[in-house]
Amino acid sequence: MNDLFNVPVFGVSITLAAYFFAINLRKKWNYVLLNPVLISVAVIIIFLLIFNIDFETYNIGGKYISFFLGPSVVALGVFFYEKYEEVKENLKVFLVAVFTGGIFGIISIIGFLILMNIPEVLIRSLAAKSVTTPIAIEISKLVAGTPEITAGMVIAVGIFGNAFGPYILKKLGISNKLAIGAALGTAAHGIGTARAFEEGKLPGVYSGLAMCINGIITALVTPYLLQLFLGNFT
Amino acid sequence: MLKGLLYIFGFLIAGELLTRLFNLPVAGNIIGMLLIFIALKLKIIKLKDVKPASDQLIKYLVVFFIPYGVGLMVYFKLIAEYWIPLSLGLVFSSILSLYISGIILQKFGK
């Protein structure tokens, strides 16, 4: 029985089944904590714990699914090309906004965690917390973080931005929908972008583009910022 | 669809190759993303050829990172030990990032 779990099809099937379950749950109750990724991850972890299956066994199949993250990042380049015309009139301001917000996001999390005396591996894993998961995972690998921790925290940030982002922004005096879109994409990547689309199509496009641009910026500067704050990794 | 996938994998390999050749501190797929954007902009490849494949990949993007999310279970103890400062940091830094991007676009955008 136990070697059934050792075939790749186990990890693949349970992932698809959990996701299928999660999106149906979301259709039934549209509640932010019922984020499909969060629910899928929770369902799979509970299943693995109940049947005493370790992560490595699950990942025999799981890695066939995560393999597609690589080409998905390339696909974001296509999305970017398709949509960037729509921000043309605001392009310069938009780039400055995303760049500044993105950089402050990285520096503030690194600085805060250093002040709190958090272990270095966690700081390295969280530096890219604002960008889309596939890019964050690559950054994390590159800077000697732990990609699994990165993925979990990035999803948490996305859910936070999705649930509270527009509310916080409005409280802070930001009412412009395009500004809300750009902010959500910069700080809360794809999950934030889903929320930006609820504000309107153009805010959604702004958010998607902000996500791509902040992904590139963060990928380029994070290794250097970490080196600056923490020194070389071994 | 197949042609689109072939292009996407082609740019991915090109990205991986460039990162290795020049020892770049950036992941190959990010270089691949930049390359495919440039290729589309310079009209080396056509949007309609890659779009069917890229739309599908983006549609199911969230599924692809589920296994990494599950991997979090291995680090449960470490996260549990530091969850308060971690959550505070994530919330503080996210609000800062949201605010700065938002205020710049609102003040100076059209």
Side-chain angles (χ1 to χ4, degrees):
Chain A
M1 177 61 189
N2 259 346
D3 56 79
L4 172 70
F5 298 136
N6 285 316
V7 291
V9 71
F10 165 68
V12 172
S13 310
I14 188 177
T15 308
L16 295 180
Y19 183 69
F20 185 72
F21 167 76
I23 49 172
N24 280 309
L25 202 66
R26 183 58 173 276
K27 272 180 200 152
K28 230 173 173 175
W29 294 289
N30 193 5
Y31 179 59
V32 65
L33 282 179
L34 292 184
N35 174 281
V37 178
L38 185 69
I39 298 296
S40 307
V41 168
V43 167
I44 297 169
I45 290 181
I46 291 168
F47 184 94
L48 298 181
L49 290 176
I50 290 175
F51 290 92
N52 208 6
I53 306 162
D54 55 21
F55 172 70
E56 283 70 26
T57 308
Y58 159 77
N59 208 30
I60 294 171
K63 65 173 190 272
Y64 286 91
I65 292 196
S66 43
F67 163 79
F68 285 96
L69 284 174
S72 299
V73 172
V74 179
L76 285 177
V78 180
F79 169 86
F80 188 73
Y81 170 78
E82 223 189 323
K83 305 288 186 195
Y84 89 108
E85 297 273 325
E86 298 187 42
V87 292
K88 246 184 181 167
E89 56 165 1
N90 270 326
L91 191 63
K92 268 191 195 142
V93 180
F94 178 74
L95 289 176
V96 172
V98 175
F99 181 84
T100 318
I103 297 284
F104 271 94
I106 309 167
I107 293 177
S108 60
I109 190 72
I110 298 177
F112 185 91
L113 296 180
I114 289 177
L115 287 177
M116 290 281 134
N117 253 327
I118 299 291
E120 195 175 314
V121 65
L122 286 174
I123 303 178
R124 294 187 180 281
S125 306
L126 264 65
K129 59 117 181 50
S130 295
V131 304
T132 184
T133 314
I135 294 182
I137 286 169
E138 291 301 331
I139 297 173
S140 187
K141 284 181 193 160
L142 210 67
V143 299
T146 306
E148 289 82 4
I149 296 177
T150 307
M153 296 301 122
V154 165
I155 295 165
V157 165
I159 292 172
F160 172 76
N162 182 305
F164 305 110
Y167 174 78
I168 292 169
L169 286 166
K170 280 167 196 162
K171 281 273 166 212
L172 293 171
I174 293 162
S175 50
N176 180 304
K177 295 241 167 178
L178 299 179
I180 293 175
L184 284 172
T186 305
H189 55 93
I191 305 177
T193 299
R195 179 60 192 264
F197 270 108
E198 291 172 20
E199 303 278 321
K201 186 172 175 278
L202 202 54
V205 170
Y206 268 62
S207 184
L209 290 177
M211 168 183 89
C212 292
I213 292 172
N214 195 26
I216 298 168
I217 293 167
T218 305
L220 293 175
V221 305
T222 305
Y224 298 104
L225 286 176
L226 278 169
Q227 205 170 33
L228 196 70
F229 280 97
L230 295 173
N232 270 318
F233 46 88
T234 43
Chain B
M1 174 78 181
L2 196 61
K3 195 173 178 186
L5 269 184
L6 196 61
Y7 274 132
I8 287 172
F9 279 106
F11 280 96
L12 184 55
I13 288 187
E16 297 287 352
L17 188 71
L18 284 177
T19 343
R20 281 167 180 73
L21 270 179
F22 299 102
N23 219 354
L24 302 173
V26 185
N29 52 12
I30 293 160
I31 304 290
M33 167 168 87
L34 293 171
L35 291 176
I36 205 165
F37 174 77
I38 294 166
L40 284 162
K41 192 99 183 62
L42 299 177
K43 310 224 181 300
I44 299 167
I45 59 171
K46 289 189 201 110
L47 180 63
K48 70 167 176 54
D49 287 339
V50 283
K51 193 174 155 56
S54 69
D55 280 355
Q56 287 303 313
L57 284 169
I58 290 173
K59 186 175 171 195
Y60 294 112
L61 182 61
V62 294
V63 181
F64 306 146
F65 55 72
I66 291 173
Y68 276 101
V70 176
L72 202 57
M73 68 189 271
V74 180
Y75 303 95
F76 194 72
K77 272 202 184 120
L78 185 64
I79 303 287
E81 193 177 334
Y82 293 101
W83 78 271
I84 296 176
L86 289 181
S87 326
L88 284 177
L90 291 177
V91 167
F92 154 73
S93 169
S94 298
I95 293 177
L96 190 70
S97 191
L98 278 166
Y99 180 70
I100 292 173
S101 304
I103 198 74
I104 293 176
L105 198 68
Q106 174 161 294
K107 274 224 154 97
F108 303 105
K110 280 172 197 151

